[in-house]
Amino acid sequence: MIGSVRQALAGRVPGGVRRAAPVWVPALLAAVDALLVNGAGLGTGMGVSLLAAVALLWRRRFPVLVFLVTLPGIYIGYIWFAPMIALYTVATLRTDRRLLAATGLLLTVAHFLPYPLSEFSLADRRQTALLFVDALATGATPIALGLLTRTRRELAARLDELTRSRAREDRLLADQVLATERARLAREMHDVVAHQVSLISLQAGALQISTPDERTRDGATKIRELSVRTLEELRHMVGILRAAGADAEELTPQPCLADLPRLIELCAMDVAYENACAPAAERPETVERAAFRTVQEALTNARKHAPGARVRVRVADTEAGLLVEVRNGPPDAAAPAPDLPGGGHGLVGLRERAQSLGGSLEAHRTDDGGFLVRAELPLNG
């Protein structure tokens, strides 16, 4: 409730007033304290008290000097606000413990000794002890509050720094995952493009040999030369990506939907597999690879985060393209959790892959405590 009131006031009060309030409000409180203690008449007590109140306007710039100026106010004028606020400011802005001890001792002595000093008496020991305890509390309280305020500010600054560092780390990790996934997509595209360009080169070579037309032969020769050059550049680029560490896998044949039963068999989990796809349907290789990687990542996550859970894998043809759905139930408390590493960004790469094909991927918890990964991959992506 207090926070909402502060927000409402912050929205209504002009910024200049909000910035000036911490400077003027303590001085006004000290001036009111001086008037209440010393009355409206002029005198030595009133003079030093008002001087202490005015000095608070510079307490943040000269905290120790302002504190020394306010000491006559509590010794002669019997005011409290100005010297205690000044000592609080010293505690918040200065870290020297000896300085804090000295200023606290000065305030305690100024509060304990009477003015004039000739009135000091130890006849009433009980009253003297009470006055000394009161003086100690007057000198220690502003220091304690100042140290608490400074500690909270330092903790808030550290927390803000840690939050920014964590956000930067998360962004770097996400960028690294996306870069790795894009590099893997480029590696997979190598197989597809190399295969197609090789076919173009073979067809051009066959046409170069079989055609009797000179112009056609020259065109076929140029096509074959361009195909060979394209393959060399493609392999060179993929080699650079691998050398840079973006992708250390070999350029092996990439998996497809037909490899899903083997993947499920090797995962050693309780998986129910449903394949509702038309066997003779033709799909882009990139779509089938994306479907395979989605199932692979979802099964890995289920094994790490829901050991012993039952998993249902379903792939089906839809009007929009290919649907991949992996749903696991809640984990089995009796099943041991495998010690598998994970960066927490696998789904980021899957989403990037799906979006690059023009599709979408959603991943969220289910009502029964399980998890659902659902990808829709268009065939014309």
Side-chain angles (χ1 to χ4, degrees):
M1 180 177 181
I2 297 177
S4 61
V5 172
R6 289 179 177 175
Q7 292 178 358
L9 292 177
R12 296 180 181 177
V13 179
V17 176
R18 290 200 303 269
R19 289 189 295 269
V23 177
W24 287 95
V25 169
L28 292 176
L29 289 177
V32 172
D33 183 30
L35 291 174
L36 293 177
V37 174
N38 297 279
L42 296 178
T44 304
M46 187 63 176
V48 295
S49 299
L50 291 179
L51 177 62
V54 174
L56 290 181
L57 296 175
W58 292 273
R59 63 190 179 92
R60 292 182 175 178
R61 184 174 299 181
F62 310 105
V64 179
L65 179 60
V66 169
F67 170 74
L68 295 177
V69 172
T70 61
L71 281 181
I74 192 173
Y75 180 62
I76 300 176
Y78 299 102
I79 59 172
W80 284 15
F81 278 9
M84 293 183 71
I85 293 174
L87 182 56
Y88 166 82
T89 306
V90 172
T92 57
L93 300 180
R94 296 292 183 264
T95 59
D96 190 349
R97 296 184 179 274
R98 290 175 297 181
L99 175 62
L100 295 181
T103 52
L105 180 62
L106 286 176
L107 182 59
T108 301
V109 171
H111 180 57
F112 177 71
L113 296 178
Y115 177 79
L117 188 60
S118 58
E119 297 182 0
F120 181 72
S121 174
L122 297 177
D124 191 346
R125 296 181 179 181
R126 180 174 178 276
Q127 184 65 26
T128 302
L130 290 176
L131 182 60
F132 181 71
V133 172
D134 184 31
L136 283 178
T138 303
T141 300
I143 295 178
L145 292 177
L147 292 176
L148 177 61
T149 301
R150 190 176 69 198
T151 302
R152 291 188 59 182
R153 290 175 180 173
E154 292 175 352
L155 290 177
R158 293 284 182 86
L159 180 61
D160 184 61
E161 181 181 356
L162 290 175
T163 302
R164 290 198 302 269
S165 299
R166 182 62 181 272
R168 287 195 299 267
E169 182 181 353
D170 290 341
R171 286 196 300 269
L172 291 176
L173 287 176
D175 292 342
Q176 182 179 2
V177 170
L178 294 180
T180 303
E181 186 62 26
R182 287 166 179 165
R184 185 178 292 111
L185 289 173
R187 180 185 62 81
E188 293 176 358
M189 286 303 298
H190 169 272
D191 292 343
V192 178
V193 176
H195 177 69
Q196 300 296 337
V197 175
S198 298
L199 290 179
I200 294 174
S201 178
L202 291 174
Q203 294 292 337
L207 181 61
Q208 179 184 0
I209 297 174
S210 61
T211 181
D213 185 62
E214 186 68 23
R215 295 181 60 185
T216 304
R217 187 181 298 110
D218 292 341
T221 302
K222 291 181 180 179
I223 292 175
R224 185 172 186 181
E225 292 176 354
L226 290 174
S227 300
V228 174
R229 190 180 307 166
T230 301
L231 281 176
E232 291 177 354
E233 292 179 356
L234 179 62
R235 287 167 181 164
H236 177 68
M237 184 60 64
V238 173
I240 292 176
L241 290 175
R242 292 173 60 197
D247 189 9
E249 299 181 13
E250 294 295 332
L251 298 178
T252 55
Q254 296 304 302
C256 58
L257 284 181
D259 299 315
L260 280 180
R262 178 63 175 169
L263 172 67
I264 294 174
E265 179 183 354
L266 293 176
C267 73
M269 298 171 61
D270 185 6
V271 181
Y273 177 52
E274 178 184 349
N275 186 354
C277 298
E282 294 185 0
R283 306 177 190 85
E285 295 181 7
T286 54
V287 172
E288 292 204 359
R289 282 196 297 273
F292 182 90
R293 298 299 186 192
T294 301
V295 175
Q296 185 181 45
E297 180 67 24
L299 290 179
T300 302
N301 288 340
R303 187 173 185 181
K304 288 192 296 185
H305 305 296
R310 301 191 62 182
V311 184
R312 180 173 178 268
V313 178
R314 180 174 179 266
V315 292
D317 290 322
T318 63
E319 295 181 358
L322 182 64
L323 172 66
V324 181
E325 186 177 278
V326 182
R327 182 191 302 266
N328 65 268
D332 185 359
D339 186 14
L340 296 176
H345 294 278
L347 295 177
V348 177
L350 292 181
R351 187 171 289 109
E352 173 72 13
R353 181 189 290 264
Q355 291 175 354
S356 68
L357 297 175
S360 62
L361 182 137
E362 61 174 307
H364 57 81
R365 295 192 178 276
T366 57
D367 296 336
D368 60 352
F371 203 82
L372 171 66
V373 177
R374 178 188 178 93
E376 295 184 0
L377 308 171
L379 299 183
N380 57 354

